[in-house]
Each structure stands twice: as C-alpha cells, then as structure tokens.
Amino acid sequence: MTAAQHVWYAAYGSNMHAARFAFYRCGGTPSETAHTYPGFRDPTPPAAVTALTLRGSLYFAWQSPVWPGGVAFYDNRPAADRPTAARGYLLTVDQFADLQAQEMYREPGADFDLARVLADGAVRLGPGRYESVLHAGTRDGVPILTFTAPWDPETVAPQRPSARYLAMIGAGLRESHGWDTDRIVEYLRVCPGVVGRWRDDDLRVLLGG
C-alpha cells in the first residue's frame, strides 16, 4: 500500500468503539437510534487499527438527535495538559469519504480530495458539524485525518453529553488504549460539557467502575 491510497481515520468520539464504527462500514441500524447507515461502498475491514494521541483537546457541544445531548468535537489547538485520545483506523481514501458522508447523513459515493487536505492542513467541506477535515499528523508515513465542527469552540456553549454516549466513549477508550475506569474518568471529567455537569462518582458508575 502507499500513503496516497490510505489514511488513518482518527476517531475520538463514539467511533472509538469498534462495534459502533462497524455500522458506518457495514451498514445497519444501531440500537440507540432509528437511523440506518448505508455503509461503505467497500466494507473491507480496516487494514490496521491503533491507538493515537492528537495534539488538541476534546469538548462536547451541539445537541444530538441520536443520543441525545452534547457530542464530541476536536479542538486542534494544542493544549499541553489535555491531549485527545483517539483510535486510528487505516482506511482507503474512498472509505474515509464514505464515512464522512454518513456522518452528515448523506449517501456515500463522492470523491475526496486528499491532496487538498494535505496541502492546506484543513478543509471545510460545508457548514455541518463534522464537515471540517483536519490533517492531524502522520503515522508510518500515512496521513492522520479527522473531522470536526467549523466553528470556534470558544463561541459555542458546551453541552452535557448523555450517559449512553459517555459509556460508548468509555468502552472505546478501554478497547483502544486499555485504560481503566479511573483513567477514563480523569480524562473525561475536565472536558467542556462534562466539567460542572457530571459528578466524578456518577461518571465512575456509568463507566462501570
């Protein structure tokens, strides 16, 4: 394979959980929503999966009709004390394009201009909450891409994420980074949207510790 054919998709929210991510790849309807995902044109499993750490921080905003409550977004401005834990899926460029389309409730099939993202570092594909694609570094010579909202995080109000959503993220952190409950609580408790809205003890209970 070559770097031009594949990218690392850096998942930092519910897609860190492999079973949740599989609905985007294979299609289907997750139990927590009535929305049906069409799946990738090529549902081949990722060529590799790895733990990643992104320079930037995690916050929760917007109001999701799926979970409901705030959902995870990535602020790519470096915060030395709050890097973002992610899970890397090694996908083809077309698979990444299909994933991004489904995040915005569109049908897969559009082409993706990888060269533009690599040249500019960030590309805004539209106004939607996950339509800003970021080049977040490289691993083994392959670009790491993720997507987030186009807005300035400081201009939006943090929103409390639901217990189901945080539990899904916690399960993804266990799978990808091998963290225990205490480490997950320590990571999530300081994120905007969680801080001041979730007690540590309640987080520990919902995360199974």
Side-chain angles (χ1 to χ4, degrees):
M1 86 184 61
T2 68
Q5 294 172 327
H6 286 74
V7 298
W8 289 104
Y9 158 54
Y12 53 81
S14 59
N15 279 348
M16 284 191 291
H17 191 278
R20 184 67 172 82
F21 174 70
F23 284 101
Y24 288 91
R25 181 172 62 85
C26 300
T29 307
S31 60
E32 69 273 0
T33 176
H35 179 72
T36 298
Y37 294 90
F40 293 171
R41 288 167 287 177
D42 173 10
T44 303
V49 181
T50 190
L52 296 173
T53 301
L54 306 181
R55 295 177 69 246
S57 54
L58 185 73
Y59 68 99
F60 296 86
W62 196 60
Q63 280 288 335
S64 170
V66 171
W67 293 100
V71 290
F73 294 98
Y74 172 60
D75 179 0
N76 67 330
R77 295 172 299 180
D81 58 335
R82 288 201 302 117
T84 296
R87 188 173 204 174
Y89 298 95
L90 189 58
L91 306 178
T92 67
V93 172
D94 285 346
Q95 287 178 321
F96 181 82
D98 291 351
L99 170 67
Q100 200 277 329
Q102 290 178 90
E103 282 284 12
M104 293 307 304
Y105 302 112
R106 291 195 296 264
E107 286 292 318
D111 292 333
F112 179 75
D113 189 351
L114 176 60
R116 181 184 171 199
V117 177
L118 297 183
D120 296 346
V123 172
R124 181 173 176 176
L125 302 176
R129 66 198 179 282
Y130 288 128
E131 286 192 300
S132 290
V133 181
L134 307 178
H135 180 206
T138 60
R139 184 182 181 93
D140 300 328
V142 178
I144 299 170
L145 303 186
T146 194
F147 32 75
T148 190
W151 56 64
D152 182 340
E154 295 177 355
T155 67
V156 298
Q159 297 291 339
R160 184 181 189 267
S162 70
R164 287 187 299 137
Y165 189 66
L166 288 177
M168 185 75 72
I169 290 177
L173 289 167
R174 290 183 197 277
E175 287 182 1
S176 58
H177 288 260
W179 290 358
D180 61 16
T181 298
D182 288 342
R183 180 69 183 86
I184 297 171
V185 169
E186 187 65 24
Y187 173 68
L188 292 175
R189 67 187 294 274
V190 299
C191 296
V194 175
V195 62
R197 292 172 169 85
W198 276 98
R199 296 173 58 246
D200 288 4
D201 288 347
D202 293 334
L203 281 176
R204 190 166 283 106
V205 169
L206 75 90
L207 293 168

